[in-house]
Amino acid sequence: MHLNAAYDFYADGNFEAAKAASERAASCATPSDGSAAKTVYALCLRKLEYGDEAFAALKEIVESDPSGEACAEFALMRAERNECDAECRAMAMRAIDENPDLPSAYIALFWCDATEGAALSAVKNLRRGILRGSDFPEKRAFDMIRNWCQMYCNANDPQSAFALIHEIGDLFTSFDFIILHARIADICEDHRTAVHYYKKALAWLRPGQMRSEVLEEIARIAI
């Protein structure tokens, strides 16, 4: 009962109440529910910005009774602390093996891949995490993807840049992602894709210089 209440409070964003309910659940839980209750408790600590306490609580869980969810969240916390090592990756993979729908595990793998410079693999894992419910910040994603695209274009490899933006761009609706998608497709001479995204960009633009430039790009490609 207390565990169900903790889940309900957590889903509603009432993390203080979820924390209290999960503490109560952990104190009287059966062995099979104990890890789940402690995991909810740790997640509440994280949401309430008790980062060190949450990290310690998850570490204790994965060392004693590791559930897939606990492994996924601990892997993510390790990745966010720049501990993107083989153990972090293995923990994320273990979580996915148990439950392939845990978004935190894929975001942990995203950070591991990004640390290793494996941009396309990173973006694929970011996509998997977002599709499973991760609230990864759009601006942070854009900044990283833009930098990778610039790196590939500077290395005269725009096709790799296009592979990145084409893998993830449709998940975001901001002008920045749309115009980046259009410009990289344009560079790669994928005119159909470029025109599609240039036209989407027009919806963001009022009459002015930027809108005129986009219309000129569409006209240039259509000739």
Side-chain angles (χ1 to χ4, degrees):
M1 179 181 69
H2 296 300
L3 181 57
N4 289 336
Y7 283 134
D8 289 341
F9 285 134
Y10 190 89
D12 290 339
N14 189 344
F15 303 119
E16 286 286 3
K19 176 175 171 287
S22 61
E23 280 186 289
R24 184 70 181 273
S27 69
C28 59
T30 63
S32 60
D33 289 337
S35 179
K38 291 176 182 177
T39 300
V40 177
Y41 175 74
L43 296 181
C44 291
L45 289 175
R46 188 179 183 195
K47 289 290 188 180
L48 295 168
E49 299 185 0
Y50 295 104
D52 290 339
E53 293 86 343
F55 188 83
L58 286 169
K59 186 174 187 293
E60 180 181 343
I61 296 167
V62 300
E63 289 178 348
S64 60
D65 185 19
S67 65
E69 185 178 18
C71 287
E73 296 297 336
F74 189 57
L76 179 56
M77 288 201 75
R78 289 198 54 177
E80 291 174 343
R81 291 177 173 221
N82 296 316
E83 298 177 14
C84 297
D85 54 16
E87 184 178 352
C88 179
R89 181 180 291 277
M91 195 168 296
M93 293 302 301
R94 176 177 179 173
I96 291 168
D97 286 343
E98 182 172 322
N99 182 352
D101 289 324
L102 292 167
S104 295
Y106 294 102
I107 302 302
L109 291 178
F110 161 77
W111 286 117
C112 289
D113 290 334
T115 299
E116 295 171 6
L120 184 57
S121 180
V123 166
K124 286 182 177 180
N125 278 313
L126 178 59
R127 180 183 184 86
R128 292 172 183 129
I130 291 171
L131 288 174
R132 287 164 175 81
S134 170
D135 58 353
F136 196 92
E138 182 168 335
K139 185 181 184 307
R140 195 172 193 181
F142 176 76
D143 289 343
M144 296 182 73
I145 291 165
R146 177 191 56 192
N147 289 340
W148 282 327
C149 287
Q150 187 65 60
M151 175 190 71
Y152 282 126
C153 288
N154 290 343
N156 199 30
D157 184 14
Q159 290 296 337
S160 291
F162 184 63
L164 286 182
I165 190 63
H166 208 55
E167 178 70 33
I168 195 74
D170 65 307
L171 294 185
F172 299 103
T173 59
S174 69
F175 175 80
D176 288 337
F177 266 102
I178 291 168
I179 200 67
L180 178 64
H181 207 152
R183 295 200 186 285
I184 297 296
D186 197 352
I187 292 170
C188 293
E189 299 185 351
D190 185 337
H191 294 157
R192 182 177 181 181
T193 300
V195 167
H196 172 75
Y197 283 97
Y198 277 136
K199 287 182 176 179
K200 289 186 72 172
L202 289 174
W204 288 82
L205 299 171
R206 295 181 177 181
Q209 182 178 350
M210 185 69 174
R211 183 179 179 86
S212 296
E213 289 175 358
V214 170
L215 287 169
E216 287 172 5
E217 294 299 330
I218 294 172
R220 174 183 56 79
I221 293 171
I223 293 173

